[in-house]
Amino acid sequence: MKIAVIGAGLIGRKHIDLVSNAGWLSAIVDPDPAAKILAETCGVNWFHTVQDCFESDIPDGAIIATPNQLHVQHGLDCVNSGVPVLIEKPIADLSAAATALVRAADDKGVPILVGHHRRHNPLIKAAKSAIENGQLGDIVAVHAQFWLYKPNDYFSVQWRSQKGGGPVFINLIHDIDLLRHLCGEVISLQAMESNGARGFEVEDTAVILMRFENGALGTVTVSDSVVAPWSWELTSGENPAYSKTPMSCYKIGGSQASLALPDMSMWKHEGERSWWAPIEQGSSPFMQADPLEIQLQHFKEVIEGNTSPLVSGHEGVQTLRVVEAIKLAAASGETQHL
Ligand SMILES: NC(=O)c1ccc[n+]([C@@H]2O[C@H](COP(=O)([O-])OP(=O)(O)OC[C@H]3O[C@@H](n4cnc5c(N)ncnc54)[C@H](O)[C@@H]3O)[C@@H](O)[C@H]2O)c1
């Protein structure tokens, strides 16, 4: 198995570690001289461009971890060379371009896996099966939060504070993808956003109202400029780089019970469903595991043709369309219908 990693920044280095540990790393593509040193350390070839890399040797698969605005260009490089690709989220910065990429991949029969890695988390699998088994009853209301504080040096990388970046595109897209996965399709939404805390071109805070296809209503808030523990990053323990808090960041409210994530606490009345009756907390067991590692194993299976992508290019586009609708709703003040 030969996998090239394109983009050796914050998340690219994590992929490089995992792919290298598996013994599958074949090349690193990134014009930054720091990537050359990393390639030397890993004992693999270093290339400035995807074309240079593929001219030297076509890998079995590639992971794209470049800035959002370059995903389509690099995705097409892979698709046109018949290389199965894991594209970091968001699949692109624009859904129209992402749709063209997915169409090209479909035409050539090249699989695209989108890096919404949280869907690979055993915790999410347990939550999804609790919902599908009807333990919550009908989903009525959903609340999700991404609240944390990013240090100033995070923004020394320019693209993160420019159009196509921002916490809605970079972070909230994970939460939106999970909400779609767990609660169903979003059919309309309203949103407001603010750049008041940081003063960047992109938002630092946004609030969203959503209607799901099954009739449930949702509220979602995102801010990378509040000191708070209520985000997937600071509650799930998924990434040891963040210190874990015992809080939850999603609440999924059903007609029979409610589920908080990621602590998996399930609240329900033992007897009659009534605010006068005692309400009890239960929890479902699940295995702790690194979803990025599981995602990589899954990507190998996709490359080998043993399975289809858990998060396909089409799914990536649909999640991106919701995020685009949030930006449009915030800019126009109008309800967006998906
Ligand atoms: N799944 C996750 O949890 C997660 C976490 C962080 C970032 N991401 C996503 O991963 C992507 C990268 O984010 P990041 O924070 O690592 O960014 P980053 O800026 O830290 O890294 C991007 C890297 O791409 C390189 N690059 C730029 N132009 C290139 C080109 N033409 N060819 C090859 N390499 C090029 C840069 O030199 C840099 O090393 C983004 O799409 C982001 O949304 C996903």
Side-chain angles (χ1 to χ4, degrees):
M1 180 61 54
K2 289 182 293 178
I3 297 180
V5 176
I6 305 163
L10 184 66
I11 194 74
R13 283 172 183 259
K14 178 91 184 158
H15 287 298
I16 287 166
D17 272 357
L18 291 171
V19 179
S20 177
N21 288 344
W24 303 333
L25 187 66
S26 63
I28 294 176
V29 182
D30 189 322
D32 189 331
K36 179 172 190 268
I37 298 167
L38 182 61
E40 280 164 9
T41 313
C42 298
V44 297
N45 289 324
W46 170 66
F47 298 96
H48 270 247
T49 67
V50 179
Q51 285 82 358
D52 291 347
C53 175
F54 289 1
E55 269 167 28
S56 156
D57 187 21
I58 297 272
D60 299 309
I63 298 177
I64 296 175
T66 48
N68 299 351
Q69 298 85 341
L70 299 177
H71 288 187
V72 169
Q73 174 195 325
H74 291 143
L76 285 172
D77 288 341
C78 295
V79 163
N80 290 334
S81 297
V83 175
V85 62
L86 163 50
I87 306 182
E88 263 304 344
K89 45 48 62 177
I91 182 169
D93 55 342
L94 295 168
S95 66
T99 303
L101 169 64
V102 170
R103 199 168 295 139
D106 283 350
D107 288 348
K108 295 215 176 240
V110 177
I112 291 180
L113 172 66
V114 184
H116 289 293
H117 66 273
R118 294 179 189 173
R119 288 204 201 186
H120 298 268
N121 194 323
L123 158 66
I124 292 303
K125 292 190 175 163
K128 176 126 176 108
S129 85
I131 292 169
E132 283 179 350
N133 294 341
Q135 290 180 47
L136 304 193
D138 296 327
I139 299 179
V140 177
V142 180
H143 178 59
Q145 275 177 296
F146 169 90
W147 286 17
L148 48 63
Y149 196 88
K150 289 181 181 166
N152 291 341
D153 62 1
Y154 173 90
F155 299 101
S156 58
V157 177
Q158 259 188 346
W159 71 268
R160 293 176 179 156
S161 54
Q162 293 170 340
K163 198 170 178 328
V168 168
F169 264 107
I170 294 177
N171 307 107
L172 191 72
I173 194 158
H174 278 301
D175 304 288
I176 298 295
D177 187 66
L178 280 190
L179 292 182
R180 288 188 53 243
H181 184 55
L182 295 172
C183 304
E185 224 37 273
V186 176
I187 57 165
S188 64
L189 58 83
Q190 299 171 347
M192 293 175 80
E193 66 180 23
S194 165
N195 65 353
R198 305 231 184 223
F200 292 146
E201 179 184 336
V202 288
E203 77 291 340
D204 48 61
T205 305
V207 297
I208 302 122
L209 297 178
M210 290 179 169
R211 188 182 295 278
F212 292 84
E213 196 168 24
N214 57 16
L217 297 180
T219 53
V220 180
T221 57
V222 50
S223 180
D224 63 13
S225 303
V226 290
V227 174
W230 301 291
S231 58
W232 186 263
E233 282 74 358
L234 301 192
T235 57
S236 68
E238 210 174 72
N239 182 346
Y242 303 112
S243 76
K244 182 176 172 349
T245 65
M247 309 303 284
S248 62
C249 60
Y250 302 157
K251 296 186 183 83
I252 303 175
S255 54
Q256 298 296 331
S258 285
L259 180 66
L261 292 173
D263 69 359
M264 278 300 277
S265 58
M266 174 97 72
W267 291 86
K268 62 181 176 191
H269 298 290
E270 275 317 314
E272 186 197 1
R273 287 179 292 162
S274 158
W275 67 356
W276 303 117
I279 186 160
E280 299 192 356
Q281 180 183 7
S283 68
S284 309
F286 62 90
M287 195 182 73
Q288 282 277 4
D290 179 355
L292 280 175
E293 245 178 87
I294 301 175
Q295 177 182 255
L296 178 60
Q297 292 299 330
H298 173 70
F299 185 42
K300 174 179 176 276
E301 295 296 314
V302 169
I303 291 171
E304 289 174 340
N306 299 330
T307 189
S308 45
L310 177 70
V311 189
S312 65
H314 294 273
E315 280 290 291
V317 171
Q318 195 54 28
T319 292
L320 178 59
R321 287 186 64 227
V322 177
V323 168
E324 279 183 342
I326 291 171
K327 297 295 293 179
L328 266 174
S332 66
E334 288 172 9
T335 301
Q336 299 296 311
H337 298 275
L338 283 127

